[in-house]
Amino acid sequence: MQRIEHRACFGGWQHVYRHTSATLDGEATFAVYLPPQAEQRACPVLYWLSGLTCTEQNFITKAGAQRYAAEHGVILVAPDTSPRGPGVADADAYDLGQGAGFYVDATQAPWASHYRMFDYVSNELPALIEAQFPATRARAISGHSMGGHGALVVALKNPGRYRSVSAFSPIVAPSEVPWGQKAFAAYLGEDREAWKAWDASALVANATERLPLLVDQGEADEFLSTQLRPDRLREACEAAGHPLDLRLRPGYDHSYYFIASFIGEHIAHHAAALKG
Ligand SMILES: N[C@@H](CCC(=O)N[C@@H](CSC=O)C(=O)NCC(=O)O)C(=O)O
C-alpha cells in the first residue's frame, strides 16, 4: 500500500492510497480521512461511493464532508468508482467501463476479470481499512447517483454489516432506466432475471433486515425523471414495509453543490447510528 496524498484538514488528515487489489486484480485507489479523534482512539467508518465519471477525488475535494467528520469523529473512506489501467476493459462512453463500475460483480466478458466493485467495497476494502487504520468495525455507507445506488445495494445485500445507509440522488431502479440498463446488459448479460439481484428497488422486497434508508433528492435534478426515479423506491418500500426517509429538496440539481448542502445532515445521521 502506497500513500500518494497527505494533507492536514480540519485537525485531521486527508490521505489517498494506492494498493494492489486481489479482488479487482490490479491497482486500486482510495481516499481516507482520519478525524482528529483517530489520534487517540479507533473511530467508526463511513464509506462513500461516488457516481459516474468520478474518482476518489470528487468527494474529498467538493463535498466539504471533512468538517463534519472531524466534528463527529468519523473516518471517511472513498474508493475510486471502477478498476482502472491499461489492462482493464473500457468503453468509449462516460457511463460504461472505467469510471462506471456500478458496484456490481460482472459476470460477462470482457468485464468479469476486473469489474468486481461490489466484492471490493463489501469485503476487501473494509478488511484493509480495519487492519491498517485506527478504525472500529462499526460501518455506515452512503453515495451519490450510481454510488447512491451502490450504497443501497451494498447495504441491502449485506444484512447486519452496516449500522446505517443513505444516498444522494440515487439511481434507485437501474433495471428500468437507460444508465442502469446499459451497464447491467454489459456487466451482467441480457437475462433480466439476473439484474434483480443488483437492483435496489427489487432487493427491498425480500430484504431480511429492514435497515432504514435515508435518501436526499433535488427536485431540479436534470436526471430525476429519466434515470433516478425515486418514486420507484418509494413504491417498493411502501409495498415491503421498508422504512424510507425520502427528502425532496426544491431547487437543487444533481451536482456536488447539492451534496455539499446536505452532507452535514447525513454525517450526523450516520454518526448517531455508529455511536450505538
Ligand atoms: N454526462 C454527464 C454525466 C456525468 C455526471 O453527471 N456525473 C455525476 C454522477 S452521475 C451518476 O452517477 C458526477 O458526480 N460527476 C462528477 C462531479 O464532480 O460532479 C457529464 O459527463 O457531465
Side-chain angles (χ1 to χ4, degrees):
M1 191 168 76
Q2 181 196 2
R3 192 167 71 190
I4 55 178
E5 269 192 57
H6 175 61
R7 301 174 195 279
C9 188
F10 291 105
W13 292 97
Q14 180 64 64
H15 306 283
V16 177
Y17 284 87
R18 186 168 297 141
H19 74 119
T20 303
S21 163
T23 310
L24 303 178
D25 193 17
E27 295 294 289
T29 308
F30 65 87
V32 55
Y33 175 70
L34 298 180
Q37 295 86 342
E39 303 271 348
Q40 312 297 330
R41 58 174 167 84
C43 294
V45 184
L46 172 61
Y47 292 85
W48 173 269
L49 306 182
S50 293
L52 293 166
T53 73
C54 292
T55 67
E56 80 293 338
Q57 290 292 323
N58 299 69
F59 181 66
I60 65 175
T61 59
K62 290 183 167 182
Q66 295 93 339
R67 172 189 290 273
Y68 305 105
E71 202 177 295
H72 293 283
V74 172
I75 294 172
L76 303 174
V77 174
D80 198 353
T81 52
S82 76
R84 289 186 200 264
V88 175
D90 201 2
D92 191 16
Y94 76 91
D95 54 1
L96 188 68
Q98 297 187 31
F102 255 87
Y103 306 100
V104 300
D105 289 343
T107 56
Q108 305 297 303
W111 312 103
S113 43
H114 298 280
Y115 284 75
R116 300 184 55 79
M117 288 301 290
F118 173 79
D119 190 5
Y120 178 71
V121 168
S122 299
N123 299 306
E124 183 175 355
L125 184 60
L128 185 150
I129 295 296
E130 288 158 20
Q132 301 292 336
F133 297 96
T136 68
R137 298 193 65 195
R139 303 170 190 150
I141 191 160
S142 185
H144 173 231
S145 196
M146 171 184 76
H149 182 258
L152 298 175
V153 168
V154 168
L156 287 163
K157 285 173 77 74
N158 288 302
R161 290 230 218 140
Y162 296 89
R163 298 271 185 92
S164 50
V165 59
S166 76
F168 287 84
S169 334
I171 304 164
V172 303
S175 307
E176 300 174 42
V177 301
W179 275 341
Q181 289 166 342
K182 179 175 179 178
F184 281 14
Y187 298 145
L188 305 172
E190 296 293 345
D191 175 10
R192 287 177 177 243
E193 268 309 297
W195 297 6
K196 289 184 181 164
W198 299 100
D199 184 307
S201 294
L203 286 166
V204 155
N206 297 316
T208 57
E209 177 195 39
R210 294 293 175 199
L211 188 65
L213 312 180
L214 168 60
V215 173
D216 251 281
Q217 176 62 61
E219 287 188 327
D221 189 318
E222 56 276 35
F223 301 115
L224 181 61
S225 61
T226 51
Q227 306 281 10
L228 308 177
R229 301 289 312 274
D231 52 303
R232 296 293 298 114
L233 186 64
R234 195 194 324 250
E235 285 159 18
C237 286
E238 278 172 8
H242 197 108
L244 168 67
D245 183 358
L246 173 59
R247 301 175 179 178
L248 298 173
R249 308 289 193 177
Y252 287 90
D253 66 14
H254 198 64
S255 71
Y256 267 83
Y257 292 103
F258 172 49
I259 297 169
S261 302
F262 297 103
I263 193 71
E265 290 185 19
H266 281 236
I267 292 179
H269 168 80
H270 291 297
L274 289 164
K275 277 199 187 98

